[in-house]
Amino acid sequence: MLPQLLMCRNMVRSLLPLSWRRCASDSSNSSTNDDIIVDYDGPDLPLPEYPNRPNEPLGMRKQRLLYQSRKRGMLENDLLLSTFAHKYLKDFDEDETAIYDELINGVSNDWDIYYWATGVKPTPPQYETDIMELLKQHVKNTEKVARFRQPELTYYL
C-alpha cells in the first residue's frame, strides 16, 4: 500500500504546473516537507478539460450520462437532469447523445446549466441546441409532474 501512495504522490507532483508553488511546512507541527500544499498565483484557477471518449459504445455512453445526470453536486440539477435523462435519453441517437454529453460535461459550472435551462440567463450560442430546447421545455413542466425525487436507475443496453 505504501509504494502505491508514494507513486501517487510523485505522479501528483509531476503534474503540477510550474506556476504553482510548494509552500514549506510549518516546523511547529508534525508535518514534513513532503506534504504538498498548492498555491496558485493566477487570477483564474485552470480547470482540467473533460476527456473526449470517441470510441465509447452508445449504450455505455448513455449509462454514464444517466448516472452523471443524477450526481451533479447540486440538488436542483440532480432533479432536473435526472428526470430529463430518464425521460429522453433512451430515445437519443448518437449525435443527440454526444450533444447532451457536451452540455453536461463541457460546462464547468453547473449553475450555468441551471440558469440556462430555467431561462434566468441567455444560453451561449455553442450550447443553443435542440437538446437545450428540449431541456428548457422539460424544465417548464407543462405536464405538472411532481419532481421531488430522482427516478430509479434504468440501464440502456
Side-chain angles (χ1 to χ4, degrees):
M1 183 71 164
L2 183 60
Q4 290 173 338
L5 291 175
L6 292 174
M7 186 174 68
C8 287
R9 182 185 69 183
N10 291 335
M11 285 174 50
V12 168
R13 285 182 180 167
S14 69
L15 294 174
L16 292 176
L18 293 177
S19 60
W20 293 35
R21 54 190 164 88
R22 185 170 158 219
C23 302
S25 300
D26 183 8
S27 59
S28 64
N29 64 19
S30 62
S31 298
T32 66
N33 284 339
D34 289 335
D35 294 339
I36 296 176
I37 300 173
V38 176
D39 184 17
Y40 183 71
D41 289 330
D44 297 316
L45 185 64
L47 296 172
E49 207 170 295
Y50 188 76
N52 191 5
R53 300 173 180 174
N55 298 326
E56 185 177 31
L58 183 59
M60 199 172 212
R61 178 180 248 183
K62 286 183 177 185
Q63 290 175 14
R64 176 177 54 81
L65 291 173
L66 185 67
Y67 182 79
Q68 288 176 337
S69 297
R70 299 171 60 86
K71 305 295 182 185
R72 301 306 305 169
M74 54 182 275
L75 181 60
E76 293 86 347
N77 274 359
D78 290 349
L79 291 172
L80 292 179
L81 294 177
S82 67
T83 55
F84 176 81
H86 180 76
K87 185 174 182 179
Y88 296 107
L89 188 61
K90 64 183 170 290
D91 298 324
F92 284 177
D93 62 20
E94 196 163 335
D95 292 335
E96 292 170 325
T97 305
I99 292 169
Y100 184 65
D101 192 0
E102 174 62 28
L103 173 65
I104 70 169
N105 292 310
V107 178
S108 62
N109 186 348
D110 269 4
W111 281 109
D112 287 338
I113 297 172
Y114 179 77
Y115 289 141
W116 300 337
T118 56
V120 173
K121 288 184 179 179
T123 307
Q126 69 265 28
Y127 295 110
E128 192 61 57
T129 62
D130 292 338
I131 301 301
M132 178 55 85
E133 278 305 311
L134 194 60
L135 178 60
K136 288 178 181 180
Q137 291 302 316
H138 179 74
V139 169
K140 288 180 183 174
N141 197 13
T142 55
E143 303 92 20
K144 305 294 183 208
V145 177
R147 296 180 182 148
F148 298 119
R149 61 174 36 188
Q150 295 182 13
E152 296 296 321
L153 276 175
T154 307
Y155 295 98
Y156 307 113
L157 301 175

